[in-house]
Amino acid sequence: MSLKALFALAVLASAVVAVPQPRAVCSQGRVASNAACCTWFDVLDDIQANLFDGGECGEEAHESIRLTFHDAIGFSKSLIAQGKFGGGGADGSIMAFSDIETNFHANIGVDEIVEAQRPFALAHKVSFGDFIQFAGAVAASNCDGGPRLQFLAGRSNNSQASPDLLVPEPSDATDKIFSRMSDAGFSITDTVDLLISHTVAAQDHVDPSIPGTPFDSTPSSFDAQFLVETLISGTLFTGNGSNVGEVESAQHGVFRLQSDFEISRDSRAACEWQSLIVNHNTMVTKFENVMKRLATVGHNPASLIDCSEVIPVPKAATFGAPTLPAGTTLQDIDASCQATPFPTLKTDPGPATSVVAVPPS
Ligand code: HEM
Ligand SMILES: *[C@@H]1O[C@H](CO)[C@@H](O)[C@H](O)[C@H]1NC(C)=O
Ligand SMILES: *[C@@H]1O[C@H](CO)[C@@H](O)[C@H](O)[C@H]1NC(C)=O
């Protein structure tokens, strides 16, 4: 045997025996690739039972998904370039410094979920930054047809309060939102992909007289209904008329944010928005990919431990292709992507219906 062949054989042999996979047996016989992940199985059991009402995609789940964004987006490359503190990104500062950050105007309402989550983070002795991203990932997995988000653990529990004015407002012009998102590392396409989240969402504070009013007709399904319904020409205000950050929606009981309206029709964003309507798997994958980045703003992902195995596998989607609400037709769609025609969708049969809000408990 030549020296070269011997060497090749040795490499092969070492590849087979070396690199033992670290493996840990956690509570209830669950297996983790890293012992540091075991604690997250216990957090999972606790929050599914006691925060998410037995694994629902309800109000607390929606708020937990929102909180992942409001913590992480507190990061500014331009502030850092000016020699100022630019925020630590997904660092838990919104919980550690809730007395400061939940008073920022754009964070209106997040104090409730911060205070609901805090006792769980303290009881399990995990960092606030890890907890917020973990709870958001578990929350999303509870939604019908939801994503299975990556979860990396190991964010430091030390943070500083984020500077104000880094969280976008629904009344902000698209240029302002896009430049803010870019300053945090997200392109226009990324921003559209992040807004898939608004398919499992409702508002409480833009029009406080109608809390629990959803952004689409199916707020516990991780479907494309939000993307379709937001593109229908607005004809009515759900609730008491125009509030700052609100525009007319197309259905009684559905609330439309000005920012969602404008982004969905913006020539730089419209084709990405429309493309997500056609294929559920593509939509979910895009959300999973962009959320990997949101969850690690301000961190080096390579220095964190992959505990994604703890995130439940979501139930398969129980819905079919998105539809046009009863009473609407393709003529009502503000098709805004010049490059490709709007996809053909079926219209729900019957007269126009009203979506019933679920006010917060
Ligand atoms: C482009 C910037 C964005 C703006 C201007 C925006 C604005 C808003 C507003 C005004 C609300 C209603 C809050 C209330 O009245 O209670 C809301 C809800 C929500 N947002 Fe966003 N959002 C943006 C991006 C995102 C992102 C990136 C995510 C997550 C990845 C997200 C997730 C949610 C969720 C899940 C809710 C529903 C919360 C609930 O039902 O309690 N949003 N958003
Ligand atoms: C994280 O920091 C908070 C204070 O901001 C503290 O109350 C909590 O105990 C800390 N958690 C851990 C795991 O160190
Ligand atoms: C809308 O405003 C009117 C008058 O200000 C008030 O009487 C009514 O209760 C409001 N509706 C809701 C749903 O709060």
Side-chain angles (χ1 to χ4, degrees), residues 216-346:
D216 73 2
S217 57
T218 55
S220 53
S221 294
F222 204 88
D223 56 12
Q225 279 305 123
F226 162 74
L227 301 167
V228 171
E229 293 175 13
T230 302
L231 280 175
I232 303 172
S233 303
T235 51
L236 57 93
F237 282 112
T238 288
N240 255 356
S242 175
N243 295 276
V244 175
E246 179 187 13
V247 295
E248 286 178 321
S249 81
Q251 300 131 281
H252 288 283
V254 169
F255 196 93
R256 187 176 294 171
L257 295 179
Q258 182 186 323
S259 48
D260 290 337
F261 167 80
E262 286 180 0
I263 291 171
S264 63
R265 287 155 179 79
D266 187 285
S267 61
R268 296 161 290 178
C271 290
E272 179 67 9
W273 188 287
Q274 179 178 294
S275 77
L276 298 170
I277 291 169
V278 197
N279 185 304
H280 182 253
N281 287 336
T282 307
M283 184 187 85
V284 168
T285 303
K286 291 219 174 185
F287 189 68
E288 289 169 344
N289 286 335
V290 78
M291 285 298 288
K292 282 184 187 174
R293 291 172 41 218
L294 186 74
T296 54
V297 172
H299 299 275
N300 173 6
S303 68
L304 301 174
I305 299 164
D306 194 343
C307 296
S308 303
E309 62 218 346
V310 181
I311 305 301
V313 177
K315 296 168 289 274
T318 60
F319 47 80
T323 53
L324 294 165
T328 57
T329 72
L330 273 178
Q331 305 300 320
D332 299 313
I333 292 276
D334 295 336
S336 305
C337 171
Q338 299 298 317
T340 41
F342 192 81
T344 305
L345 302 176
K346 289 196 175 121

Side-chain angles (χ1 to χ4, degrees), residues 96 122 125-126 128 157:
L122 293 176
K125 299 184 167 57
V126 293
F128 289 166
N157 195 49

Side-chain angles (χ1 to χ4, degrees), residues 11 37 101 109 132 161 192 237 270 280 325 329 339:
V11 168
C37 299
E101 291 194 32
I132 288 170
V192 172
F237 282 112
H280 182 253
T329 72

